[in-house]
Amino acid sequence: QVQLHESGGGLVQAGDSLRLSCTASGRTSSSYSLGWFRRPPGKDRDFVADIRWSDNFTRYTDSVRGRFAISRDNAAEYTAYLQMNNLRPEDTAVYFCASAAERDRYPYWGQGTQVTVSS
């Protein structure tokens, strides 16, 4: 089992920045990557970004590329961040981090953190 804890959500205005944090604990040695997902109001949960632990390879969905950056904490193993810049109202969502056991398979999820961007 891998446990995940997110933090850093909040209410901001369009154009502002936020940084989300996610810390994994438990059987972290089995974790392949860490991903961020989001569920906008009334919509399905979608992929945002992920980072592979072995080589820091990152992926982004098109709508956030260039505005969001996923990174890991070099001092704290299995901690990752999502730096969100130039936020837009359409970025409003509950953001979840998830631990992958292998590429694109995420069996472990955090509880989510709300990000609200006002116009």
Side-chain angles (χ1 to χ4, degrees), residues 9-27:
L11 171 63
V12 297
Q13 294 185 328
D16 285 351
S17 298
L18 273 177
R19 188 177 79 160
L20 305 182
S21 300
C22 178
T23 298
S25 59
R27 291 189 60 189

Side-chain angles (χ1 to χ4, degrees), residues 66-87:
R67 298 188 298 123
F68 290 12
I70 188 169
S71 63
R72 66 186 301 171
D73 190 323
N74 291 323
E77 199 171 18
Y78 298 110
T79 293
Y81 305 103
L82 185 67
Q83 178 67 42
M84 306 186 293
N85 298 324
N86 192 21
L87 283 161

Side-chain angles (χ1 to χ4, degrees), residues 9-51:
L11 171 63
V12 297
Q13 294 185 328
D16 285 351
S17 298
L18 273 177
R19 188 177 79 160
L20 305 182
S21 300
C22 178
T23 298
S25 59
R27 291 189 60 189
T28 53
S29 60
S30 66
S31 181
Y32 172 82
S33 65
L34 188 139
W36 285 99
F37 294 76
R38 64 185 180 186
R39 185 172 61 222
K43 297 184 179 180
D44 293 332
R45 187 170 59 193
D46 289 324
F47 171 80
V48 176
D50 67 358
I51 184 166

Side-chain angles (χ1 to χ4, degrees), residues 57-108:
F57 179 75
T58 58
R59 299 185 297 175
Y60 297 91
T61 192
D62 288 345
S63 63
V64 308
R65 188 174 291 112
R67 298 188 298 123
F68 290 12
I70 188 169
S71 63
R72 66 186 301 171
D73 190 323
N74 291 323
E77 199 171 18
Y78 298 110
T79 293
Y81 305 103
L82 185 67
Q83 178 67 42
M84 306 186 293
N85 298 324
N86 192 21
L87 283 161
R88 304 167 180 169
E90 54 264 38
D91 294 319
T92 295
V94 178
Y95 283 72
F96 301 86
C97 68
S99 175
E102 58 188 19
R103 182 182 169 117
D104 295 327
R105 189 171 75 87
Y106 293 91
Y108 305 112

Side-chain angles (χ1 to χ4, degrees), residues 98-118:
S99 175
E102 58 188 19
R103 182 182 169 117
D104 295 327
R105 189 171 75 87
Y106 293 91
Y108 305 112
W109 294 81
Q111 80 286 353
T113 185
Q114 177 71 46
V115 172
T116 303
V117 185
S118 64

